[in-house]
Amino acid sequence: MPGLTRGLVEAVRRAGSVAALTGSGISAESGVPTFRDAQTGLWARYDPQQLATPEAFAHDPELVWKWYAWRRGLVEGANPNAGHGALARLERSVPAFSLVTQNVDGLHQEAGSEKVIELHGNILRSRCSAENVTVEAYETDHVPPLCPNCGAPLRPDVVWFGEALPAAGSRAASEAARSCDLFLSVGTSGFVYPAASLPYEALESGATVVEVNPEPTPLAPDAHFSLRGRAGEILPELVRAAFG
Ligand code: OAD
């Protein structure tokens, strides 16, 4: 496999602590659309300002809820792929591991990853837009459904543009990036901050940084290893090369 050098395999095998940041590209092979890919990305077809902001939800909660319900359906019909599986295996193979994901699809957990920091929430959960608490059971006769406790509309439990990331997750992600020996950036375009700053925090702290992406991203010139290809092919190969 191109790029899978002995130096990289050794770096993976010897790492005492590994952190991985994933983006929508790792779920592409599961059939979940990415955001910025030119033909197939969601933001090529939909305007994030009208669907993924608090203002959009205030303006047209029905439209926003229905769009997320459509995406939830896609996620519910998807299965984890070999890339998710390889990261779950890597977690079991190294002394310390942190998985930080921008994805809201829950596929890492389904693949067996134990410790997952969800920076952008989870589309399978809903929460009350007024009380900010997760709601598990609700009537579906209204769109969006209403909070059984206070009657406010429910919203997907995801982070929208203009909203702060969950503080504890954000802190844990930064700590993981700063304390790891090896940092993997997988399937993310690196355009959305603060997640996009994590590989640079790792670089500053002296970690070996590896990118896995079919396309070059802004991180490519700074990464120690930039592997061009699909996560579902490269990650299993890398983990197999390091741990058999
Ligand atoms: P993007 O759509 O911006 O980037 C997806 C990346 O995955 C691109 O760089 C692709 O080249 C790459 N890719 C595609 N197929 C791949 C494959 N099979 N294996 C590996 N990589 C592949 O998605 P994100 O970087 O996840 O936020 O976007 C970050 C955030 O922007 C999302 O969490 C979302 C979005 O707006 C919110 O909604 C808040």
PDB file of all heavy atoms in Angstrom, residues 23-26 28-29 34-37 43 102-103 120 159-161 186-190 192 212-215 217 229-232, ligand 1:
ATOM      1  N   GLY A  23     -13.770  12.566  10.667  1.00  0.00           N
ATOM      2  CA  GLY A  23     -14.807  13.388  10.072  1.00  0.00           C
ATOM      3  C   GLY A  23     -15.671  12.521   9.180  1.00  0.00           C
ATOM      4  O   GLY A  23     -15.492  11.295   9.109  1.00  0.00           O
ATOM      5  N   SER A  24     -16.570  13.176   8.470  1.00  0.00           N
ATOM      6  CA  SER A  24     -17.600  12.439   7.741  1.00  0.00           C
ATOM      7  C   SER A  24     -17.035  11.478   6.699  1.00  0.00           C
ATOM      8  O   SER A  24     -17.703  10.516   6.323  1.00  0.00           O
ATOM      9  CB  SER A  24     -18.564  13.428   7.075  1.00  0.00           C
ATOM     10  OG  SER A  24     -17.861  14.275   6.196  1.00  0.00           O
ATOM     11  N   GLY A  25     -15.773  11.714   6.246  1.00  0.00           N
ATOM     12  CA  GLY A  25     -15.182  10.823   5.247  1.00  0.00           C
ATOM     13  C   GLY A  25     -15.086   9.385   5.721  1.00  0.00           C
ATOM     14  O   GLY A  25     -15.160   8.462   4.908  1.00  0.00           O
ATOM     15  N   ILE A  26     -14.943   9.172   7.041  1.00  0.00           N
ATOM     16  CA  ILE A  26     -14.816   7.779   7.501  1.00  0.00           C
ATOM     17  C   ILE A  26     -16.146   7.038   7.356  1.00  0.00           C
ATOM     18  O   ILE A  26     -16.171   5.811   7.244  1.00  0.00           O
ATOM     19  CB  ILE A  26     -14.259   7.657   8.947  1.00  0.00           C
ATOM     20  CG1 ILE A  26     -13.780   6.223   9.178  1.00  0.00           C
ATOM     21  CG2 ILE A  26     -15.273   8.100   9.989  1.00  0.00           C
ATOM     22  CD1 ILE A  26     -12.980   6.000  10.425  1.00  0.00           C
ATOM     23  N   ALA A  28     -18.229   7.678   4.801  1.00  0.00           N
ATOM     24  CA  ALA A  28     -18.652   7.727   3.392  1.00  0.00           C
ATOM     25  C   ALA A  28     -18.837   6.314   2.838  1.00  0.00           C
ATOM     26  O   ALA A  28     -19.798   6.050   2.109  1.00  0.00           O
ATOM     27  CB  ALA A  28     -17.624   8.502   2.569  1.00  0.00           C
ATOM     28  N   GLU A  29     -17.918   5.417   3.236  1.00  0.00           N
ATOM     29  CA  GLU A  29     -18.022   4.047   2.714  1.00  0.00           C
ATOM     30  C   GLU A  29     -19.173   3.270   3.362  1.00  0.00           C
ATOM     31  O   GLU A  29     -19.472   2.159   2.944  1.00  0.00           O
ATOM     32  CB  GLU A  29     -16.690   3.315   2.910  1.00  0.00           C
ATOM     33  CG  GLU A  29     -15.608   3.832   1.986  1.00  0.00           C
ATOM     34  CD  GLU A  29     -14.216   3.534   2.506  1.00  0.00           C
ATOM     35  OE1 GLU A  29     -13.757   2.407   2.293  1.00  0.00           O
ATOM     36  OE2 GLU A  29     -13.600   4.427   3.135  1.00  0.00           O
ATOM     37  N   THR A  34     -20.961  12.899   2.987  1.00  0.00           N
ATOM     38  CA  THR A  34     -20.074  13.882   3.617  1.00  0.00           C
ATOM     39  C   THR A  34     -20.712  15.264   3.431  1.00  0.00           C
ATOM     40  O   THR A  34     -21.853  15.371   2.966  1.00  0.00           O
ATOM     41  CB  THR A  34     -18.680  13.858   2.950  1.00  0.00           C
ATOM     42  OG1 THR A  34     -18.837  14.200   1.576  1.00  0.00           O
ATOM     43  CG2 THR A  34     -18.026  12.488   3.074  1.00  0.00           C
ATOM     44  N   PHE A  35     -19.980  16.312   3.808  1.00  0.00           N
ATOM     45  CA  PHE A  35     -20.530  17.668   3.714  1.00  0.00           C
ATOM     46  C   PHE A  35     -19.989  18.427   2.517  1.00  0.00           C
ATOM     47  O   PHE A  35     -20.723  19.100   1.805  1.00  0.00           O
ATOM     48  CB  PHE A  35     -20.235  18.451   4.998  1.00  0.00           C
ATOM     49  CG  PHE A  35     -20.962  17.875   6.169  1.00  0.00           C
ATOM     50  CD1 PHE A  35     -20.365  16.941   7.003  1.00  0.00           C
ATOM     51  CD2 PHE A  35     -22.275  18.238   6.423  1.00  0.00           C
ATOM     52  CE1 PHE A  35     -21.051  16.380   8.061  1.00  0.00           C
ATOM     53  CE2 PHE A  35     -22.973  17.683   7.480  1.00  0.00           C
ATOM     54  CZ  PHE A  35     -22.355  16.757   8.304  1.00  0.00           C
ATOM     55  N   ARG A  36     -18.667  18.344   2.293  1.00  0.00           N
ATOM     56  CA  ARG A  36     -18.049  19.250   1.316  1.00  0.00           C
ATOM     57  C   ARG A  36     -17.556  18.579   0.052  1.00  0.00           C
ATOM     58  O   ARG A  36     -16.952  19.236  -0.781  1.00  0.00           O
ATOM     59  CB  ARG A  36     -16.910  20.036   1.992  1.00  0.00           C
ATOM     60  CG  ARG A  36     -17.444  20.992   3.018  1.00  0.00           C
ATOM     61  CD  ARG A  36     -16.392  21.740   3.793  1.00  0.00           C
ATOM     62  NE  ARG A  36     -17.068  22.510   4.825  1.00  0.00           N
ATOM     63  CZ  ARG A  36     -17.522  21.992   5.960  1.00  0.00           C
ATOM     64  NH1 ARG A  36     -17.332  20.710   6.229  1.00  0.00           N
ATOM     65  NH2 ARG A  36     -18.173  22.752   6.836  1.00  0.00           N
ATOM     66  N   ASP A  37     -17.770  17.283  -0.108  1.00  0.00           N
ATOM     67  CA  ASP A  37     -17.358  16.668  -1.375  1.00  0.00           C
ATOM     68  C   ASP A  37     -18.197  17.279  -2.500  1.00  0.00           C
ATOM     69  O   ASP A  37     -19.413  17.481  -2.342  1.00  0.00           O
ATOM     70  CB  ASP A  37     -17.494  15.139  -1.305  1.00  0.00           C
ATOM     71  CG  ASP A  37     -16.315  14.513  -0.570  1.00  0.00           C
ATOM     72  OD1 ASP A  37     -15.197  14.584  -1.093  1.00  0.00           O
ATOM     73  OD2 ASP A  37     -16.511  14.003   0.550  1.00  0.00           O
ATOM     74  N   TRP A  43     -23.472  19.845   1.706  1.00  0.00           N
ATOM     75  CA  TRP A  43     -23.450  21.307   1.516  1.00  0.00           C
ATOM     76  C   TRP A  43     -23.352  21.688   0.034  1.00  0.00           C
ATOM     77  O   TRP A  43     -23.394  22.868  -0.317  1.00  0.00           O
ATOM     78  CB  TRP A  43     -22.339  21.965   2.328  1.00  0.00           C
ATOM     79  CG  TRP A  43     -22.424  21.810   3.815  1.00  0.00           C
ATOM     80  CD1 TRP A  43     -21.356  21.817   4.673  1.00  0.00           C
ATOM     81  CD2 TRP A  43     -23.588  21.663   4.647  1.00  0.00           C
ATOM     82  NE1 TRP A  43     -21.784  21.661   5.967  1.00  0.00           N
ATOM     83  CE2 TRP A  43     -23.150  21.556   5.988  1.00  0.00           C
ATOM     84  CE3 TRP A  43     -24.960  21.567   4.412  1.00  0.00           C
ATOM     85  CZ2 TRP A  43     -24.020  21.390   7.068  1.00  0.00           C
ATOM     86  CZ3 TRP A  43     -25.835  21.388   5.491  1.00  0.00           C
ATOM     87  CH2 TRP A  43     -25.357  21.308   6.785  1.00  0.00           C
ATOM     88  N   GLN A 102     -16.143  14.189  14.781  1.00  0.00           N
ATOM     89  CA  GLN A 102     -17.070  15.269  14.433  1.00  0.00           C
ATOM     90  C   GLN A 102     -18.378  14.671  13.925  1.00  0.00           C
ATOM     91  O   GLN A 102     -19.318  15.392  13.631  1.00  0.00           O
ATOM     92  CB  GLN A 102     -16.460  16.133  13.319  1.00  0.00           C
ATOM     93  CG  GLN A 102     -15.170  16.794  13.706  1.00  0.00           C
ATOM     94  CD  GLN A 102     -14.456  17.334  12.459  1.00  0.00           C
ATOM     95  OE1 GLN A 102     -14.704  18.450  12.027  1.00  0.00           O
ATOM     96  NE2 GLN A 102     -13.561  16.556  11.888  1.00  0.00           N
ATOM     97  N   ASN A 103     -18.400  13.353  13.784  1.00  0.00           N
ATOM     98  CA  ASN A 103     -19.576  12.712  13.201  1.00  0.00           C
ATOM     99  C   ASN A 103     -20.682  12.556  14.238  1.00  0.00           C
ATOM    100  O   ASN A 103     -20.416  12.379  15.424  1.00  0.00           O
ATOM    101  CB  ASN A 103     -19.203  11.351  12.615  1.00  0.00           C
ATOM    102  CG  ASN A 103     -18.185  11.490  11.511  1.00  0.00           C
ATOM    103  OD1 ASN A 103     -17.975  12.596  11.014  1.00  0.00           O
ATOM    104  ND2 ASN A 103     -17.551  10.407  11.130  1.00  0.00           N
ATOM    105  N   HIS A 120     -19.603  17.020  17.964  1.00  0.00           N
ATOM    106  CA  HIS A 120     -20.752  17.695  17.344  1.00  0.00           C
ATOM    107  C   HIS A 120     -22.080  17.039  17.697  1.00  0.00           C
ATOM    108  O   HIS A 120     -23.078  17.264  17.021  1.00  0.00           O
ATOM    109  CB  HIS A 120     -20.566  17.757  15.819  1.00  0.00           C
ATOM    110  CG  HIS A 120     -19.431  18.638  15.385  1.00  0.00           C
ATOM    111  ND1 HIS A 120     -18.936  18.682  14.104  1.00  0.00           N
ATOM    112  CD2 HIS A 120     -18.689  19.546  16.084  1.00  0.00           C
ATOM    113  CE1 HIS A 120     -17.941  19.558  14.022  1.00  0.00           C
ATOM    114  NE2 HIS A 120     -17.764  20.078  15.215  1.00  0.00           N
ATOM    115  N   VAL A 159     -24.559  19.867  17.350  1.00  0.00           N
ATOM    116  CA  VAL A 159     -24.058  21.244  17.442  1.00  0.00           C
ATOM    117  C   VAL A 159     -24.292  21.923  16.090  1.00  0.00           C
ATOM    118  O   VAL A 159     -23.909  21.393  15.048  1.00  0.00           O
ATOM    119  CB  VAL A 159     -22.549  21.248  17.784  1.00  0.00           C
ATOM    120  CG1 VAL A 159     -21.990  22.662  17.763  1.00  0.00           C
ATOM    121  CG2 VAL A 159     -22.319  20.593  19.137  1.00  0.00           C
ATOM    122  N   TRP A 160     -24.930  23.086  16.132  1.00  0.00           N
ATOM    123  CA  TRP A 160     -25.159  23.838  14.907  1.00  0.00           C
ATOM    124  C   TRP A 160     -24.093  24.922  14.753  1.00  0.00           C
ATOM    125  O   TRP A 160     -23.425  25.302  15.728  1.00  0.00           O
ATOM    126  CB  TRP A 160     -26.554  24.488  14.943  1.00  0.00           C
ATOM    127  CG  TRP A 160     -27.658  23.516  14.621  1.00  0.00           C
ATOM    128  CD1 TRP A 160     -27.589  22.449  13.774  1.00  0.00           C
ATOM    129  CD2 TRP A 160     -28.997  23.518  15.147  1.00  0.00           C
ATOM    130  NE1 TRP A 160     -28.807  21.801  13.727  1.00  0.00           N
ATOM    131  CE2 TRP A 160     -29.683  22.436  14.547  1.00  0.00           C
ATOM    132  CE3 TRP A 160     -29.692  24.340  16.049  1.00  0.00           C
ATOM    133  CZ2 TRP A 160     -31.010  22.145  14.829  1.00  0.00           C
ATOM    134  CZ3 TRP A 160     -31.020  24.053  16.324  1.00  0.00           C
ATOM    135  CH2 TRP A 160     -31.673  22.966  15.717  1.00  0.00           C
ATOM    136  N   PHE A 161     -23.990  25.451  13.530  1.00  0.00           N
ATOM    137  CA  PHE A 161     -23.070  26.569  13.295  1.00  0.00           C
ATOM    138  C   PHE A 161     -23.465  27.721  14.218  1.00  0.00           C
ATOM    139  O   PHE A 161     -24.650  28.034  14.366  1.00  0.00           O
ATOM    140  CB  PHE A 161     -23.122  27.017  11.836  1.00  0.00           C
ATOM    141  CG  PHE A 161     -22.502  26.013  10.913  1.00  0.00           C
ATOM    142  CD1 PHE A 161     -23.278  25.163  10.143  1.00  0.00           C
ATOM    143  CD2 PHE A 161     -21.111  25.876  10.850  1.00  0.00           C
ATOM    144  CE1 PHE A 161     -22.693  24.215   9.314  1.00  0.00           C
ATOM    145  CE2 PHE A 161     -20.526  24.925  10.022  1.00  0.00           C
ATOM    146  CZ  PHE A 161     -21.322  24.106   9.256  1.00  0.00           C
ATOM    147  N   VAL A 186      -8.534  11.567  10.170  1.00  0.00           N
ATOM    148  CA  VAL A 186      -9.122  10.659   9.176  1.00  0.00           C
ATOM    149  C   VAL A 186     -10.424  11.220   8.611  1.00  0.00           C
ATOM    150  O   VAL A 186     -11.362  11.522   9.362  1.00  0.00           O
ATOM    151  CB  VAL A 186      -9.431   9.280   9.829  1.00  0.00           C
ATOM    152  CG1 VAL A 186      -9.993   8.317   8.784  1.00  0.00           C
ATOM    153  CG2 VAL A 186      -8.206   8.696  10.503  1.00  0.00           C
ATOM    154  N   GLY A 187     -10.474  11.374   7.296  1.00  0.00           N
ATOM    155  CA  GLY A 187     -11.748  11.695   6.643  1.00  0.00           C
ATOM    156  C   GLY A 187     -12.346  13.028   7.034  1.00  0.00           C
ATOM    157  O   GLY A 187     -13.562  13.154   7.105  1.00  0.00           O
ATOM    158  N   THR A 188     -11.493  14.008   7.273  1.00  0.00           N
ATOM    159  CA  THR A 188     -12.012  15.347   7.568  1.00  0.00           C
ATOM    160  C   THR A 188     -11.312  16.379   6.689  1.00  0.00           C
ATOM    161  O   THR A 188     -10.101  16.291   6.463  1.00  0.00           O
ATOM    162  CB  THR A 188     -11.895  15.708   9.066  1.00  0.00           C
ATOM    163  OG1 THR A 188     -12.384  17.044   9.250  1.00  0.00           O
ATOM    164  CG2 THR A 188     -10.468  15.606   9.596  1.00  0.00           C
ATOM    165  N   SER A 189     -12.087  17.351   6.199  1.00  0.00           N
ATOM    166  CA  SER A 189     -11.521  18.359   5.305  1.00  0.00           C
ATOM    167  C   SER A 189     -10.688  19.377   6.076  1.00  0.00           C
ATOM    168  O   SER A 189      -9.902  20.107   5.485  1.00  0.00           O
ATOM    169  CB  SER A 189     -12.645  19.075   4.552  1.00  0.00           C
ATOM    170  OG  SER A 189     -13.519  19.692   5.472  1.00  0.00           O
ATOM    171  N   GLY A 190     -10.896  19.447   7.394  1.00  0.00           N
ATOM    172  CA  GLY A 190     -10.100  20.368   8.202  1.00  0.00           C
ATOM    173  C   GLY A 190     -10.510  21.824   8.049  1.00  0.00           C
ATOM    174  O   GLY A 190      -9.704  22.726   8.260  1.00  0.00           O
ATOM    175  N   VAL A 192     -13.456  23.037   9.610  1.00  0.00           N
ATOM    176  CA  VAL A 192     -14.343  23.463  10.693  1.00  0.00           C
ATOM    177  C   VAL A 192     -13.589  23.462  12.033  1.00  0.00           C
ATOM    178  O   VAL A 192     -13.082  22.428  12.466  1.00  0.00           O
ATOM    179  CB  VAL A 192     -15.601  22.556  10.758  1.00  0.00           C
ATOM    180  CG1 VAL A 192     -16.462  22.903  11.952  1.00  0.00           C
ATOM    181  CG2 VAL A 192     -16.414  22.724   9.468  1.00  0.00           C
ATOM    182  N   VAL A 212      -5.269  10.569   6.815  1.00  0.00           N
ATOM    183  CA  VAL A 212      -5.822   9.569   5.896  1.00  0.00           C
ATOM    184  C   VAL A 212      -6.985  10.212   5.165  1.00  0.00           C
ATOM    185  O   VAL A 212      -8.006  10.547   5.777  1.00  0.00           O
ATOM    186  CB  VAL A 212      -6.302   8.307   6.660  1.00  0.00           C
ATOM    187  CG1 VAL A 212      -6.902   7.301   5.683  1.00  0.00           C
ATOM    188  CG2 VAL A 212      -5.166   7.686   7.455  1.00  0.00           C
ATOM    189  N   ASN A 213      -6.832  10.396   3.855  1.00  0.00           N
ATOM    190  CA  ASN A 213      -7.853  11.098   3.079  1.00  0.00           C
ATOM    191  C   ASN A 213      -7.560  10.867   1.590  1.00  0.00           C
ATOM    192  O   ASN A 213      -6.406  10.921   1.198  1.00  0.00           O
ATOM    193  CB  ASN A 213      -7.795  12.608   3.405  1.00  0.00           C
ATOM    194  CG  ASN A 213      -9.065  13.340   3.030  1.00  0.00           C
ATOM    195  OD1 ASN A 213      -9.518  13.262   1.891  1.00  0.00           O
ATOM    196  ND2 ASN A 213      -9.624  14.055   3.982  1.00  0.00           N
ATOM    197  N   PRO A 214      -8.580  10.629   0.786  1.00  0.00           N
ATOM    198  CA  PRO A 214      -8.313  10.470  -0.651  1.00  0.00           C
ATOM    199  C   PRO A 214      -7.816  11.766  -1.299  1.00  0.00           C
ATOM    200  O   PRO A 214      -7.186  11.732  -2.340  1.00  0.00           O
ATOM    201  CB  PRO A 214      -9.667  10.088  -1.250  1.00  0.00           C
ATOM    202  CG  PRO A 214     -10.589   9.832  -0.121  1.00  0.00           C
ATOM    203  CD  PRO A 214     -10.008  10.458   1.108  1.00  0.00           C
ATOM    204  N   GLU A 215      -8.117  12.916  -0.648  1.00  0.00           N
ATOM    205  CA  GLU A 215      -7.716  14.219  -1.205  1.00  0.00           C
ATOM    206  C   GLU A 215      -6.748  14.894  -0.242  1.00  0.00           C
ATOM    207  O   GLU A 215      -6.862  14.704   0.968  1.00  0.00           O
ATOM    208  CB  GLU A 215      -8.944  15.149  -1.315  1.00  0.00           C
ATOM    209  CG  GLU A 215     -10.124  14.562  -2.072  1.00  0.00           C
ATOM    210  CD  GLU A 215      -9.837  14.465  -3.556  1.00  0.00           C
ATOM    211  OE1 GLU A 215      -8.990  15.253  -4.040  1.00  0.00           O
ATOM    212  OE2 GLU A 215     -10.436  13.605  -4.215  1.00  0.00           O
ATOM    213  N   THR A 217      -5.553  17.786   2.129  1.00  0.00           N
ATOM    214  CA  THR A 217      -6.272  18.804   2.907  1.00  0.00           C
ATOM    215  C   THR A 217      -5.246  19.841   3.365  1.00  0.00           C
ATOM    216  O   THR A 217      -4.043  19.654   3.175  1.00  0.00           O
ATOM    217  CB  THR A 217      -6.946  18.184   4.153  1.00  0.00           C
ATOM    218  OG1 THR A 217      -5.922  17.917   5.113  1.00  0.00           O
ATOM    219  CG2 THR A 217      -7.708  16.917   3.813  1.00  0.00           C
ATOM    220  N   GLY A 229      -6.059   7.925   0.281  1.00  0.00           N
ATOM    221  CA  GLY A 229      -6.912   6.773  -0.011  1.00  0.00           C
ATOM    222  C   GLY A 229      -8.065   6.716   0.959  1.00  0.00           C
ATOM    223  O   GLY A 229      -8.239   7.613   1.805  1.00  0.00           O
ATOM    224  N   ARG A 230      -8.849   5.676   0.823  1.00  0.00           N
ATOM    225  CA  ARG A 230     -10.050   5.542   1.647  1.00  0.00           C
ATOM    226  C   ARG A 230      -9.730   4.972   3.026  1.00  0.00           C
ATOM    227  O   ARG A 230      -8.920   4.042   3.145  1.00  0.00           O
ATOM    228  CB  ARG A 230     -11.024   4.591   0.970  1.00  0.00           C
ATOM    229  CG  ARG A 230     -11.518   5.090  -0.348  1.00  0.00           C
ATOM    230  CD  ARG A 230     -12.272   3.987  -1.025  1.00  0.00           C
ATOM    231  NE  ARG A 230     -12.961   4.541  -2.171  1.00  0.00           N
ATOM    232  CZ  ARG A 230     -14.070   4.041  -2.682  1.00  0.00           C
ATOM    233  NH1 ARG A 230     -14.611   2.970  -2.159  1.00  0.00           N
ATOM    234  NH2 ARG A 230     -14.631   4.602  -3.714  1.00  0.00           N
ATOM    235  N   ALA A 231     -10.422   5.522   4.003  1.00  0.00           N
ATOM    236  CA  ALA A 231     -10.215   5.060   5.379  1.00  0.00           C
ATOM    237  C   ALA A 231     -10.488   3.567   5.505  1.00  0.00           C
ATOM    238  O   ALA A 231      -9.787   2.854   6.228  1.00  0.00           O
ATOM    239  CB  ALA A 231     -11.125   5.846   6.325  1.00  0.00           C
ATOM    240  N   GLY A 232     -11.503   3.085   4.799  1.00  0.00           N
ATOM    241  CA  GLY A 232     -11.898   1.672   4.907  1.00  0.00           C
ATOM    242  C   GLY A 232     -10.869   0.727   4.332  1.00  0.00           C
ATOM    243  O   GLY A 232     -10.918  -0.480   4.595  1.00  0.00           O
TER     244      GLY A 232
HETATM  245  P1  OAD B   1     -16.230  17.318   4.977  1.00  0.00           P
HETATM  246  O1  OAD B   1     -17.329  16.947   4.036  1.00  0.00           O
HETATM  247  O2  OAD B   1     -15.857  18.743   5.092  1.00  0.00           O
HETATM  248  O3  OAD B   1     -14.927  16.509   4.594  1.00  0.00           O
HETATM  249  C1  OAD B   1     -14.982  15.130   4.334  1.00  0.00           C
HETATM  250  C2  OAD B   1     -13.576  14.670   4.000  1.00  0.00           C
HETATM  251  O4  OAD B   1     -13.612  13.248   3.867  1.00  0.00           O
HETATM  252  C3  OAD B   1     -13.033  15.232   2.690  1.00  0.00           C
HETATM  253  O5  OAD B   1     -11.748  15.772   2.933  1.00  0.00           O
HETATM  254  C4  OAD B   1     -12.975  14.010   1.771  1.00  0.00           C
HETATM  255  O6  OAD B   1     -11.892  14.067   0.855  1.00  0.00           O
HETATM  256  C5  OAD B   1     -12.801  12.892   2.781  1.00  0.00           C
HETATM  257  N1  OAD B   1     -13.260  11.557   2.339  1.00  0.00           N
HETATM  258  C6  OAD B   1     -14.220  11.237   1.453  1.00  0.00           C
HETATM  259  N2  OAD B   1     -14.334   9.898   1.346  1.00  0.00           N
HETATM  260  C7  OAD B   1     -13.425   9.345   2.183  1.00  0.00           C
HETATM  261  C8  OAD B   1     -13.052   8.020   2.535  1.00  0.00           C
HETATM  262  N3  OAD B   1     -13.651   6.959   1.998  1.00  0.00           N
HETATM  263  N4  OAD B   1     -12.077   7.854   3.456  1.00  0.00           N
HETATM  264  C9  OAD B   1     -11.457   8.924   4.033  1.00  0.00           C
HETATM  265  N5  OAD B   1     -11.768  10.188   3.740  1.00  0.00           N
HETATM  266  C10 OAD B   1     -12.738  10.408   2.837  1.00  0.00           C
HETATM  267  O7  OAD B   1     -16.642  16.695   6.380  1.00  0.00           O
HETATM  268  P2  OAD B   1     -16.068  17.002   7.837  1.00  0.00           P
HETATM  269  O8  OAD B   1     -14.613  17.325   7.774  1.00  0.00           O
HETATM  270  O9  OAD B   1     -16.507  15.909   8.711  1.00  0.00           O
HETATM  271  O10 OAD B   1     -20.404  20.101  11.215  1.00  0.00           O
HETATM  272  O11 OAD B   1     -16.858  18.329   8.192  1.00  0.00           O
HETATM  273  C11 OAD B   1     -16.694  18.887   9.463  1.00  0.00           C
HETATM  274  C12 OAD B   1     -17.982  19.456   9.954  1.00  0.00           C
HETATM  275  O12 OAD B   1     -18.541  20.314   8.952  1.00  0.00           O
HETATM  276  C13 OAD B   1     -19.083  18.426  10.185  1.00  0.00           C
HETATM  277  O13 OAD B   1     -18.986  17.841  11.452  1.00  0.00           O
HETATM  278  C14 OAD B   1     -20.317  19.253  10.059  1.00  0.00           C
HETATM  279  C15 OAD B   1     -19.958  20.005   8.813  1.00  0.00           C
HETATM  280  O14 OAD B   1     -20.647  21.202   8.609  1.00  0.00           O
HETATM  281  C16 OAD B   1     -21.598  20.529  11.648  1.00  0.00           C
HETATM  282  O15 OAD B   1     -22.645  20.217  11.118  1.00  0.00           O
HETATM  283  C17 OAD B   1     -21.494  21.412  12.834  1.00  0.00           C
END
